[in-house]
Structure formats: structure tokens, C-alpha cells
Amino acid sequence: MRSRAAAYPLLAVLGWGVMFPVLASALTRIDPLNLTTARYLLAAVILVAILLLREGSGALRPGGRAVEIVVLGVVGFAGFNLLTNLALEHAAPQQISLFVATTPVITQLVRWARDGVRPKPLLLALSLVALLGVGLVITRGSLAGLGQFGLGGLMMIGAVLGWGIYTHGASRFGDWSPLRFTTLTALAGTAAMLAASIGADAVGWQHAPAAADLAAVAPQLAYAVIVAAVIAVLAWNTGVQRLGAANAALFMNLVPVTTFAVQIARGYRPEPVELVGAAITIAALIAANLATRARVRPSSLPQSTAVTDQIAVVDPVAVNAR
């Protein structure tokens, strides 16, 4: 039975791992801000439709928490996704996926900074080991490669930090359904993305896509919305319910593995030091997740909550799985 349940989070992380190369290919035709906005406009419509069907129009009201919703939506949805797509212009998809895989550890550090909940020293040490692995992938083991970390790496640090803050803030919404919290923050984040895109188009930082450009990336956009932001989320939700959040979260470490596999299938040939760095990062993150699970007794974990536990996910829409 548990082996069947494991198929759900496995499907989800495979979908997210493929997403990064897919988005990178779409960025050859559409600017990052416009691509992100188009993706989440469609995803938000789907989420609103599901919420209306399941909870009615009353669930769309912020209930006196509009400021929190807007802040978390802007920091989480808009911040994470805009910075990730911008970073894909400066770093390879496999490098981006390794940064995203550090999200659970970053969330622990955010809790330490904001709540004073200090992680185990082992977790901090493993975090440094994971970052060392990321550094090996980016620099290919050469100090001369430090310059390649550059803007893309800084953007991803900001993106993951924003998502950690978002996940931490979501713990204050335990009285809301995960779907309601996700939908309202998605709407706030999408509005911020739309404003950023309009502003960037107006000042010439990017250009509004032509119909031909949208048609050219229609397959990538369809995948990013339908597979990565809908099907994968539903699969993840089911896996969390059947396996528990801590067990399901271990599958997140397969995201960079999937991304590397896709890139290799597309003709990329990683150097041995890159494979070593990826292995170090993944091993450190798995060990960090196991160390985190050891801090919480299984009997004390809630069976169904919003994003209240210590593990974060890699796709902003996927917060409704928590």
C-alpha cells in the first residue's frame, strides 16, 4: 500500500524536475517577467475555479487578513517565480534545480531567524555541505568558475529565501483550507507579477510577446501550467495525505536528479565534478530531511494542515499540498 502511495509524490517531483528545462526553452522566445505572468494568470484561473466549486464564493474573501495575504503572495509567489525565471537567463536549469532543492533547509533557517527555533547544529552543517555541492556544480571545481555564480545564483538565493518566508508565514493560516490560502496568495502574487510585467514593458526592459511567440511556446506553457502547477500538485497532495508530509518531502531531493537527467537526454554532458557536486548536495539534503524528521515524533504531526510543518515544497502553487 505504501509503495502505491509513493507513486504520487514521485509523479509530482518528476513533473517539477522537468519544468526547469521546459521553462528555460520558453525563455528563448518570451521575456522572464511575461512568461511568469502568463503562467500564473492561467494557474490562478484554475485555482479560483476549483476553490469556487469546492468552497463557494465566500472563500475568496480575505477575512480581515488582506495585508498578510498580499505580503506573502508578493514575497512567495511573485518573488520566487520572477527571480527563478530571471535566474534561468543566467544559469543552467540543473544549477537552478539544486538551489530550489535547498528550500527545506532554508525554511528551517527562516524559522530560526523569525521565531528563535534553532535548528540542530547537524542541520546547519549539512546545509553548508549542500551549498558546497551546489558550488562544485556551478564552478565545475575551479576557482576561476566563481564568476559563473554571479547574478543567477544571487537571484536564486533571494528566490528560495522568499519561499522560505512564505512557507513560514503560512503557518498562521491553520484555520483556512490549504486550497483557500493558496488561491488567495496566488491571486495577490499574480497581480504583482502583472504589474511588474506591465512596468517592464513600458520602460523597455522587456517586450510584450507577440501572438507568434505565445504560439511558439504554447507546449511549454501548457506543461508548466497543466502538469507542473495542476497535475503535479494534486499528486503531491495525495502523497502527503497517504505518506505524511515528512516522508513525502524526501522525494523533493529527486528534483535536481530529474533535471540533470533531462539535460543529459537533451545532449548535455556533465563533467565528473558536476556529478560529484550534485551527489553531495542531494545526499546532504536527504540527511537534513532525516535529521528534521527525527526532531518531531510521528504522533505529534497533524494529519492534514496548511503549510505548518517544517518541510517546504519546490513549486509555489504546490503549497496547497501542505
Side-chain angles (χ1 to χ4, degrees):
M1 180 64 71
R2 291 182 67 84
S3 61
R4 289 184 182 181
Y8 292 102
L10 179 61
L11 173 62
V13 298
L14 291 177
W16 292 328
V18 174
M19 179 183 67
F20 295 106
V22 168
L23 290 178
S25 67
L27 288 170
T28 61
R29 295 295 296 266
I30 298 181
D31 293 307
L33 299 184
N34 285 326
L35 179 62
T36 307
T37 301
R39 180 189 176 197
Y40 280 96
L41 278 172
L42 296 172
V45 169
I46 295 173
L47 284 169
V48 168
I50 296 174
L51 182 64
L52 289 175
L53 287 173
R54 294 190 61 180
E55 300 186 29
S57 59
L60 289 172
R61 300 189 183 96
R65 309 183 76 174
V67 173
E68 289 180 275
I69 288 295
V70 170
V71 171
L72 292 175
V74 171
V75 170
F77 272 85
F80 178 89
N81 288 288
L82 290 178
L83 288 173
T84 297
N85 270 10
L86 287 168
L88 281 168
E89 287 196 322
H90 302 276
Q94 63 270 22
Q95 297 171 355
I96 297 300
S97 69
L98 283 172
F99 275 104
V100 172
T102 65
T103 301
V105 173
I106 295 296
T107 303
Q108 292 294 304
L109 299 179
V110 170
R111 292 182 71 244
W112 184 15
R114 299 194 64 183
D115 296 339
V117 181
R118 184 173 182 173
K120 285 185 176 181
L122 175 61
L123 181 62
L124 296 179
L126 289 171
S127 302
L128 295 176
V129 173
L131 291 177
L132 173 63
V134 173
L136 286 176
V137 173
I138 293 175
T139 64
R140 297 182 179 179
S142 172
L143 291 177
L146 285 174
Q148 297 183 25
F149 177 83
L151 189 58
L154 292 175
M155 287 178 177
M156 283 312 302
I157 290 175
V160 175
L161 179 60
W163 186 243
I165 293 172
Y166 175 85
T167 303
H168 176 271
S171 64
R172 297 191 295 270
F173 288 79
D175 55 331
W176 285 23
S177 72
L179 178 60
R180 182 186 180 191
F181 174 77
T182 303
T183 302
L184 267 64
T185 51
L187 287 173
T190 301
M193 295 177 206
L194 182 60
S197 292
I198 292 173
D201 290 339
V203 301
W205 289 350
Q206 64 174 23
H207 303 285
D213 293 323
L214 290 172
V217 302
Q220 294 97 313
L221 195 57
Y223 180 92
V225 174
I226 297 174
V227 177
V230 177
I231 295 176
V233 172
L234 293 175
W236 181 261
N237 217 1
T238 304
V240 168
Q241 290 180 351
R242 298 190 180 190
L243 289 175
N247 287 324
L250 291 175
F251 286 85
M252 289 193 303
N253 299 292
L254 293 176
V255 171
V257 176
T258 304
T259 303
F260 263 88
V262 170
Q263 290 295 86
I264 292 172
R266 296 177 66 197
Y268 178 72
R269 294 296 176 261
E271 296 181 6
V273 68
E274 292 181 83
L275 297 178
V276 170
I280 289 174
T281 296
I282 293 166
L285 292 172
I286 290 175
N289 277 334
L290 290 173
T292 299
R293 290 175 58 200
R295 298 181 64 210
V296 183
R297 293 177 300 175
S299 61
S300 68
L301 290 173
Q303 295 300 311
S304 178
T305 66
V307 188
T308 57
D309 61 67
Q310 301 166 347
I311 305 299
V313 293
V314 299
D315 188 276
V317 178
V319 70
N320 75 340
R322 312 303 292 153

